[in-house]
Amino acid sequence: MANILVIGCGNIGFRLASALTRDGHCVTALKRTPLAVPAPFALVLGDIAQPSTFSSLPANYDLVILVLSASGRNAEQYRALYQAGLNNVLNHFAAAGVAPLCLMVSSTSVYGQNGGELVDEDSPTQPASATAEWLVKAEQRLWQAGPHNCVVRFSGIYGPGRDWLLRRAAAGEAIQRDPPSYTNRIHQDDCLAVLLFLTGKMLGGTELDKCYLASDNDPAPLWDVMVWIAAQFGYPPPKALPSAIGVAQNKRCSNARLNALGYRWRYPSYRDGYLPPYSA
């Protein structure tokens, strides 16, 4: 079994560290703040943006999984985490003369395309925000640190506790209908399953591509999604906004590379994941 460090222990990171522990791995998780519940794995409190965090952290890990979450949505907070923090992580291992495999969670926000294009791992990253620019730089830094390091780009995460679209549907928010405004999503259970799937491949010696786009099989217009949700939950159907008002994010994410690797979706469509009572 492997010695694994999970950096970031929010909802997904905690579930990941717990699942890896159940699978027999020796797991340490690094988190900024204490957990509210007991952990079945070793927990180290620290902020990767602070070099002192690494003063007593071992370097003998086989795999490092970065499930980072900035404390806010501004560029400086992303810079602190994805530049200073990531550099501190990589420098810690470089100083010890080791190079563990690294798997990092990124986001499809690195694609700024907004004309309904189909994007995949080979599409150019065109970040439309400063936060997305820091994600792109972090990906490049990770790949520079090791040719076998891997990035997985999650699209919009949903699931119990992440009910933004449900609240919008319940409020009867008006939605753009024409032209279609495409959206992409991944259920949080699939986030966990994708990370476990890629972890297994990496530890098993499979030669992975440097990047995988993780979004379900159904990139769909927001109008279609909201009409379907409203019908399922008994909300009034949405009203259509005037056409062609423009949207900041309007692309279709292809998961063909991940599917070809053998991943099987728990929730292949929003029709599977947004069912009442919306429980995992």
Side-chain angles (χ1 to χ4, degrees):
M1 292 290 104
N3 193 15
I4 300 174
L5 175 64
V6 177
I7 301 178
C9 199
N11 176 276
I12 293 171
F14 179 87
R15 295 174 65 194
L16 175 65
S18 299
L20 291 170
T21 300
R22 289 193 299 271
D23 288 343
H25 298 291
C26 180
V27 179
T28 300
L30 179 60
K31 191 179 189 303
R32 285 192 296 262
T33 57
L35 287 167
V37 296
F41 46 82
L43 180 67
V44 175
L45 295 179
D47 184 349
I48 64 170
Q50 303 299 323
S52 58
T53 293
F54 300 90
S55 60
S56 60
L57 190 73
N60 61 331
Y61 296 103
D62 303 301
L63 175 66
V64 177
I65 308 175
L66 298 109
V67 194
L68 306 178
S69 178
S71 56
R73 299 290 296 177
N74 66 57
E76 177 54 31
Q77 289 164 321
Y78 268 63
R79 186 207 65 80
L81 188 64
Y82 288 97
Q83 183 188 62
L86 179 60
N87 279 335
N88 286 338
V89 172
L90 298 176
N91 291 341
H92 171 68
F93 293 107
V98 297
L101 291 171
C102 293
L103 172 63
M104 185 177 78
V105 172
S106 183
S107 166
T108 57
S109 66
V110 299
Y111 303 108
Q113 291 87 333
N114 64 357
E117 301 96 326
L118 184 69
V119 298
D120 62 17
E121 294 83 356
D122 296 323
S123 299
T125 52
Q126 300 174 352
S129 68
T131 55
E133 288 177 1
W134 284 117
L135 287 176
V136 171
K137 292 176 181 178
E139 292 179 352
Q140 294 168 346
R141 178 70 177 91
L142 191 82
W143 293 325
Q144 291 169 357
H148 301 294
N149 291 341
C150 184
V151 167
V152 56
R153 294 170 178 161
F154 288 153
S155 62
I157 302 173
Y158 75 103
R162 303 173 188 262
D163 56 358
W164 181 58
L165 281 188
L166 294 183
R167 288 185 278 111
R168 293 176 66 185
E173 181 178 324
I175 303 297
Q176 180 171 320
R177 181 173 184 175
D178 296 306
S181 170
Y182 285 95
T183 59
N184 306 269
R185 79 217 88 250
I186 179 172
H187 194 283
Q188 60 192 17
D189 288 358
D190 274 304
C191 291
L192 172 62
V194 165
L195 290 173
L196 289 171
F197 175 76
L198 292 176
T199 293
K201 294 291 185 183
M202 294 179 79
L203 293 177
T206 298
E207 188 73 23
L208 295 182
D209 287 292
K210 68 176 187 178
C211 181
Y212 290 89
L213 200 161
S215 189
D216 72 21
N217 296 332
D218 195 4
L222 181 60
W223 173 265
D224 293 356
V225 177
M226 297 295 274
V227 167
W228 187 87
I229 288 176
Q232 296 300 310
F233 287 84
Y235 301 145
K239 296 178 180 179
L241 282 173
S243 63
I245 63 169
V247 290
Q249 294 289 326
N250 179 20
K251 57 184 176 280
R252 293 171 294 137
C253 294
S254 169
N255 61 15
R257 179 178 291 180
L258 186 60
N259 289 349
L261 190 63
Y263 183 70
R264 296 296 176 261
W265 293 86
R266 275 64 171 168
Y267 298 93
S269 167
Y270 65 89
R271 296 181 182 88
D272 304 295
Y274 274 115
L275 288 171
Y278 196 52
S279 59

